[in-house]
């Protein structure tokens, strides 16, 4: 069984670190310098960082220079996300020194293109599955209600290396992950799943750890760390115990 990975999140909007709530940029709370946040996570022992350009995700701007500053400032593996949905954004993301890029749920509007990317780049690529009420619900996208199970099956067949699953209604809510959604998707794919959205306690992480046997191999944690619900050190101790 592969090691369970914990990925603290740094989401960037207008040059500052934020945590959106339920996919809403407007309700996001600001937490200061993205570089300082990333370095704090590194100091606490994180091995991975989940780095998101919120402006790019919503198609309202770009923090590309700051993303590179964060990547170059840390000695962690970096997973880069935010608006990666076409050739231009893909090549721009690949040109950074990040270890993995995340195709946005918007990219799944063109499943043949997304499948081609995962076939070509393998472990370098993860696919984001933003879900609301059981269907794909791309943040920043115009289409709603895509069939998440059909997308999972096609991307799995194409050789997708990782899925990142977020119940958008849980994101930033501190109400706990959607465990039922994770279980349902795990039943339809052998591809490792990283859980995202709603993690509020060490008990949530403990339950996610218990789901390794069905395919949950990691968790992205944001607001719970920023709001002091638990420390990154305590979470890493739990995972490594």
């Amino acid at each position: 069984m592969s090691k369970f990975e914990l990925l603290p999140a740094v989401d960037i909007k207008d040059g500052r670190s934020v945590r959106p709530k339920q996919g809403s940029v407007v309700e996001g709370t600001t937490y200061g310098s993205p570089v300082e946040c990333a370095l704090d996570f590194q100091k606490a022992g994180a091995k991975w960082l989940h780095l998101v350009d919120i402006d790019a995700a919503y198609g309202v701007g770009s923090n590309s220079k700051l993303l590179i500053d964060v990547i170059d400032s840390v000695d962690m593996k970096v997973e880069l996300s935010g608006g990666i949905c076409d050739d231009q954004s893909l090549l721009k993301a690949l040109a950074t020194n990040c270890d993995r890029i995340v195709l946005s749920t918007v990219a799944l509007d063109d499943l043949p293109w997304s499948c081609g990317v995962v076939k070509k780049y393998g472990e370098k690529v993860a696919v984001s599955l933003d879900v609301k009420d059981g269907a794909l619900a791309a943040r920043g996208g115009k289409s709603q209600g895509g069939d998440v199970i059909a997308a999972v099956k096609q991307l799995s067949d194409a050789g997708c290396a990782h899925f990142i699953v977020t119940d958008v209604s849980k994101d930033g809510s501190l109400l706990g992950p959607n465990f039922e959604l994770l279980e349902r998707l795990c039943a339809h794919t052998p591809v490792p799943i990283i859980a995202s959205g709603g993690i509020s306690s060490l008990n949530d992480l403990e339950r996610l750890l218990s789901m390794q046997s069905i395919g949950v191999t990691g968790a992205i944690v944001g607001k719970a760390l920023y709001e002091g619900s638990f420390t990154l050190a305590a979470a890493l101790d739990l995972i490594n115990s």
Side-chain angles (χ1 to χ4, degrees):
M1 186 181 296
S2 60
K3 178 179 171 56
F4 190 94
E5 294 290 353
L6 186 69
L7 298 88
V10 171
D11 296 61
I12 303 174
K13 175 173 171 53
D14 296 329
R16 304 187 73 181
S17 181
V18 302
R19 285 305 303 164
K21 183 177 181 180
Q22 297 181 358
S24 170
V25 179
V26 176
E27 296 183 18
T29 302
T30 301
Y31 295 99
S33 163
V35 171
E36 290 179 6
C37 289
L39 289 172
D40 285 344
F41 290 144
Q42 177 175 293
K43 185 176 181 181
K47 303 301 181 185
W48 273 95
L49 179 71
H50 182 70
L51 182 62
V52 186
D53 188 337
I54 294 291
D55 292 313
Y58 283 86
V60 296
S62 171
N63 295 279
S64 57
K65 183 180 183 302
L66 186 50
L67 295 174
I68 293 172
D69 287 344
V70 173
I71 293 168
D72 290 346
S73 296
V74 299
D75 187 21
M76 292 184 284
K77 293 182 179 179
V78 177
E79 176 179 87
L80 181 60
S81 180
I84 304 172
C85 59
D86 55 26
D87 288 334
Q88 182 179 2
S89 54
L90 172 68
L91 293 175
K92 189 173 184 179
L94 288 169
T96 69
N97 292 322
C98 71
D99 297 271
R100 185 160 68 210
I101 66 164
V102 182
L103 293 188
S104 74
T105 306
V106 173
L108 305 188
D109 287 344
D110 187 349
L111 262 177
W113 180 84
S114 297
C115 288
V117 171
V118 300
K119 284 179 181 178
K120 183 173 182 178
Y121 294 102
E123 288 285 340
K124 185 78 173 180
V125 175
V127 175
S128 175
L129 300 172
D130 292 339
V131 180
K132 187 174 183 180
D133 298 327
L136 290 172
R139 288 169 282 187
K142 296 180 180 179
S143 63
Q144 297 285 329
D147 188 333
V148 63
I149 298 300
V152 162
K153 289 181 176 179
Q154 289 188 52
L155 288 159
S156 299
D157 289 344
C160 184
H162 303 275
F163 288 120
I164 296 172
V165 176
T166 306
D167 181 335
V168 176
S169 67
K170 296 277 191 175
D171 196 25
S173 67
L174 297 181
L175 295 175
N178 187 333
F179 297 106
E180 293 76 14
L181 172 65
L182 294 168
E183 291 171 354
R184 184 162 72 97
L185 295 185
C186 283
H188 287 280
T189 180
V191 176
I193 286 177
I194 298 171
S196 174
I199 296 171
S200 62
S201 67
L202 293 178
N203 286 338
D204 287 340
L205 281 178
E206 193 166 21
R207 184 169 173 183
L208 290 173
L209 278 167
S210 74
M211 297 172 72
Q212 283 182 276
S213 60
I214 64 170
V216 176
T217 61
I220 295 168
V221 184
K223 190 171 184 178
L225 297 176
Y226 291 102
E227 296 293 313
S229 300
F230 55 84
T231 66
L232 180 57
L236 291 170
D237 283 346
L238 172 65
I239 287 168
N240 295 323
S241 63

